[in-house]
Amino acid sequence: MQAVQEKVRPSPAKTAGAAIEVSHLTKAFYDSQDDRVTVAVSDVSFEVERGEFVCIVGPSGCGKTTVLRILAGLEDELSGSVKLHSSTPPAMVFQEASVLPWLTVSQNIAFPLSLKGVPRAQQETRVREMLTLTGLTDFANALPHQLSGGMKQRVSVARALVDDRDILLMDEPFGALDEQTRLVLQQELLRIWETTGKTVVFITHSVDEALTLADRVLVMSPRPGRLVADMRVPFERPRDVVEMRRDKRFWDMTYEVWRLLASPAEA
Amino acid sequence: MSTATTILTEDELRRLKAPARREKLFRFASYFSPLLLLLIWELSSQFNLIDRRFFPAPSAIAETAWRMIVSLELFEHMGATLRRVGIGYMMGAIPGITLGLILGLSQPARRILGPIFSALYPVPKIAILPLILLIFGVGDASKFVVIAIGVFFLMFYNTMGGVLQTPQIYMDVAKNAGASRFQTFTRIAFPAALPSIFTGLKLAAGSSYIIIAAAEFLGARSGVGFFIWASWQTFAVSRMFVGIVVISVMGYLTILALEALERHFVAWAKN
Ligand SMILES: Nc1ncnc2c1ncn2[C@@H]1O[C@H](COP(=O)(O)OP(=O)(O)OP(=O)(O)O)[C@@H](O)[C@H]1O
Ligand SMILES: [Mg+2]
């Protein structure tokens, strides 16, 4: 692949070694009711450097969420190993609606802080920042049933960012958003990532989004999910998410990923 | 959001607020619908459509009630019943909710202890009343215990059901946010189960008054149940009705109070 040679980014935190090491990860589910085994992920290996932004793309049901849940410690692997090198546990943005309906927007965002017993004043400052960031200031005291789907998703993003963990796991976080809001949040995420040096694993259905955000794109095959490609995205940082669409390389890579996604699974 | 009043027309605002206003109206009406029944009764009795020996007119009952109020006799009985129900209710509800949360959250605890509760639950509470009187005597302790037992099971099953219905995603959120087991218990399981807990609290309030009435029939020197029983023995039908009405009203008000609390604490659960 042409793109691989063109690595450009002189990232500040780039030398620190791997933050995430996944090797020969296999995960299956067993349904005892009708005695059925579903292999969700098959022999997946990859590493994520500290401070790197990696996107995972792949068809629906190929095991992306499963990989992320295993990284988050919410699910156990069947075999293989997963190692995280980080002083804080990873923060997760879930694919499905995950705001707690009995808490207001502010309380939802403050949830990880309040569990830790962070002083009230400090929580409020931090929550205010997150509300501004996600454009939810007017809804600080609203309950989730008063929010739109996209707004709930923004609450989840704010909650994952609020206690500033090293590793951020995001499962199609902008899937339910309109183009403009998505663009704004993509820019913001890139800005946060560039200033904090977080390690990000980001799942998306959108090749476009993956190329916009990532240092590397991992492409998965249909279920049972395997890694079929590990592509480096050559665009310099900081990126202008609008301007980069004029770059021919952007469309070449889009074509490349689509070709991989369209090819039938080797069973 | 403050600009809503300038953007929307009067008519639009009125239509927007109409369902909320209708809701208030219904709540108001619901307080008074029982009065309608009373009115029908009064008229039927006045016009001899029903046997006045068994169904004295509400006005006659009210007169008896008034005498009992003035003599403070009624309040003594109400106080005694309320105290027994209140204490027994707490004694049953607190362990019921706690154990419901624990067994709801912990599969091993549910597996091991669940069958014990399932085996005991079908025993009619009133059927064991004589046994409880034997063990705890005819004093208040036996009343507390029999109410507590009835309340316990309702709270236990409703709470556990509420926890078991909690979407897994909330547990995942808690775990990812760094919640301890205890925090998962108090910050997720409890609020998630709160709608079911309130259902349980209302059912338990209703059954508490059933149980206390029966318990006071059998072994008591005070309380509304005792008073109903004593009136039966002297064929004082009006007094008996006073007792029946008073205990019903007590139950009704308890449930209204619980509903007010429910509206306040689980406002989030309405869709
Ligand atoms: N808890 C579970 N029990 C049984 N099967 C499961 C479970 N979780 C996932 N699976 C199965 O594993 C496979 C992968 O699921 P996963 O959610 O990881 O897919 P995905 O790549 O995230 O899909 P999507 O893009 O649609 O979100 C699916 O076939 C799914 O049915
Ligand atoms: Mg998924």
Side-chain angles (χ1 to χ4, degrees):
Chain A
M1 232 165 298
Q2 169 99 40
V4 177
Q5 270 85 354
E6 291 183 273
K7 177 181 168 252
V8 187
R9 195 167 76 100
S11 163
K14 201 50 201 279
T15 48
I20 300 173
E21 294 176 74
V22 176
S23 93
H24 303 292
L25 176 67
T26 294
K27 173 71 181 176
F29 295 98
Y30 176 57
D31 183 353
S32 61
Q33 218 114 71
D34 44 351
D35 191 34
R36 197 182 52 187
V37 173
T38 308
V39 180
V41 180
S42 166
D43 194 26
V44 164
S45 303
F46 64 92
E47 286 189 12
V48 181
E49 296 284 302
R50 195 152 299 179
E52 200 175 20
F53 199 128
V54 168
C55 279
I56 302 178
V57 295
S60 183
C62 74
K64 305 182 294 297
T65 297
T66 306
V67 170
L68 219 60
R69 287 178 59 85
I70 293 171
L71 289 179
L74 294 171
E75 206 97 61
D76 291 324
E77 64 271 16
L78 180 63
S79 59
S81 77
V82 169
K83 289 203 196 82
L84 299 187
H85 306 280
S86 159
S87 52
T88 52
M92 176 110 168
V93 180
F94 293 88
Q95 181 173 12
E96 67 216 273
S98 68
V99 289
L100 303 173
W102 52 87
L103 298 181
T104 64
V105 167
S106 291
Q107 290 167 336
N108 260 292
I109 296 173
F111 188 62
L113 300 179
S114 76
L115 290 177
K116 286 199 197 80
V118 171
R120 196 50 67 90
Q122 214 169 310
Q123 285 188 30
E124 276 168 20
T125 316
R126 193 69 189 133
V127 167
R128 237 186 332 266
E129 287 171 25
M130 291 298 114
L131 286 168
T132 313
L133 181 71
T134 49
L136 289 167
T137 308
D138 280 349
F139 294 88
N141 297 313
L143 283 167
H145 72 84
Q146 299 165 308
L147 304 181
S148 72
M151 288 159 91
K152 286 182 208 164
Q153 202 53 17
R154 282 184 271 158
V155 175
S156 312
V157 173
R159 181 177 58 201
L161 292 172
V162 77
D163 58 350
D164 198 21
R165 306 197 193 172
D166 296 341
I167 299 178
L168 196 51
L169 307 174
M170 308 181 87
D171 196 350
E172 304 194 29
F174 306 148
L177 300 176
D178 59 286
E179 291 280 347
Q180 290 104 305
T181 313
R182 190 197 334 252
L183 218 62
V184 170
L185 285 178
Q186 283 174 351
Q187 290 271 30
E188 279 305 325
L189 178 62
L190 283 179
R191 196 185 57 73
I192 291 165
W193 170 74
E194 268 151 17
T195 54
T196 57
K198 283 183 198 297
T199 307
V200 182
V201 179
F202 187 108
I203 291 177
T204 174
H205 267 129
S206 158
V207 177
D208 187 272
E209 183 168 61
L211 295 179
T212 304
L213 297 172
D215 291 322
R216 267 164 63 217
V217 178
L218 306 182
V219 184
M220 287 179 74
S221 69
R223 198 185 49 185
R226 303 164 197 273
L227 273 190
V228 291
D230 181 342
M231 306 166 83
R232 192 154 287 285
V233 182
F235 305 109
E236 46 293 317
R237 308 270 187 182
R239 287 179 188 168
D240 182 324
V241 303
V242 181
E243 275 307 306
M244 63 192 289
R245 279 167 179 68
R246 303 219 298 203
D247 196 320
K248 181 173 178 298
R249 292 172 302 172
F250 185 89
W251 300 107
D252 287 347
M253 284 200 75
T254 304
Y255 169 77
E256 185 64 28
V257 179
W258 275 6
R259 207 177 50 79
L260 284 165
L261 288 174
S263 67
E266 345 120 42
Chain B
M1 282 194 288
S2 55
T3 56
T5 46
T6 57
I7 294 170
L8 299 180
T9 66
E10 285 286 315
D11 181 54
E12 282 170 330
L13 275 174
R14 193 181 48 72
R15 277 187 287 128
L16 185 67
K17 292 177 180 174
R21 204 168 39 233
R22 213 171 307 138
E23 172 64 21
K24 269 196 203 122
L25 196 71
F26 276 132
R27 201 179 305 151
F28 188 72
S30 73
Y31 297 144
F32 288 97
S33 56
L35 289 178
L36 186 67
L37 181 70
L38 225 55
L39 184 70
I40 295 170
W41 179 358
E42 175 76 37
L43 294 175
S44 320
S45 186
Q46 296 283 358
F47 293 106
N48 266 324
L49 296 174
I50 48 179
D51 191 333
R52 263 196 256 181
R53 278 175 309 162
F54 302 131
F55 299 102
S59 56
I61 297 168
E63 202 189 306
T64 312
W66 178 247
R67 265 185 273 117
M68 295 181 63
I69 288 168
V70 174
S71 70
L72 300 183
E73 183 192 355
L74 192 58
F75 296 111
E76 278 166 38
H77 293 301
M78 283 171 70
T81 298
L82 207 57
R83 206 170 63 85
R84 289 167 188 152
V85 168
I87 293 173
Y89 192 78
M90 288 299 164
M91 280 170 51
I94 292 168
I97 293 171
T98 311
L99 275 172
L101 290 173
I102 293 172
L103 267 73
L105 275 181
S106 157
Q107 168 135 350
R110 193 162 62 246
R111 284 276 173 78
I112 295 163
L113 301 176
I116 300 175
F117 297 111
S118 313
L120 294 176
Y121 177 54
V123 179
K125 307 311 165 268
I126 295 174
I128 52 169
L129 187 55
L131 180 66
I132 288 169
L133 286 172
L134 203 62
I135 300 171
F136 293 94
V138 290
D140 279 355
S142 57
K143 317 293 180 295
F144 300 155
V145 170
V146 71
I147 290 172
I149 292 172
V151 170
F152 172 85
F153 281 103
L154 286 170
M155 293 320 299
F156 171 73
Y157 278 111
N158 274 285
T159 305
M160 187 168 78
V163 176
L164 289 175
Q165 276 172 28
T166 307
Q168 178 60 35
I169 182 81
Y170 300 154
M171 301 292 179
D172 291 344
V173 166
K175 189 167 182 206
N176 190 249
S180 64
R181 248 189 113 73
F182 183 69
Q183 283 173 325
T184 308
F185 193 86
T186 55
R187 309 284 292 272
I188 304 288
F190 181 69
L194 210 51
S196 307
I197 289 175
F198 268 102
T199 305
L201 286 173
K202 286 188 281 182
L203 289 171
S207 75
S208 291
Y209 284 101
I210 297 173
I211 295 171
I212 193 63
E216 286 176 345
F217 285 173
L218 281 174
R221 288 277 155 266
S222 63
V224 183
F226 158 75
F227 168 75
I228 293 169
W229 193 254
S231 309
W232 172 76
Q233 288 174 321
T234 57
F235 207 70
V237 180
S238 273
R239 285 170 66 89
M240 205 157 94
F241 268 103
V242 172
I244 294 168
V245 169
V246 163
I247 202 163
S248 309
V249 168
M250 285 166 75
Y252 185 60
L253 291 180
T254 307
I255 289 179
L256 280 190
L258 286 169
E259 277 176 349
L261 286 176
E262 183 180 24
R263 267 197 306 281
H264 182 258
F265 285 107
V266 293
W268 56 267
K270 76 170 178 196
N271 298 309

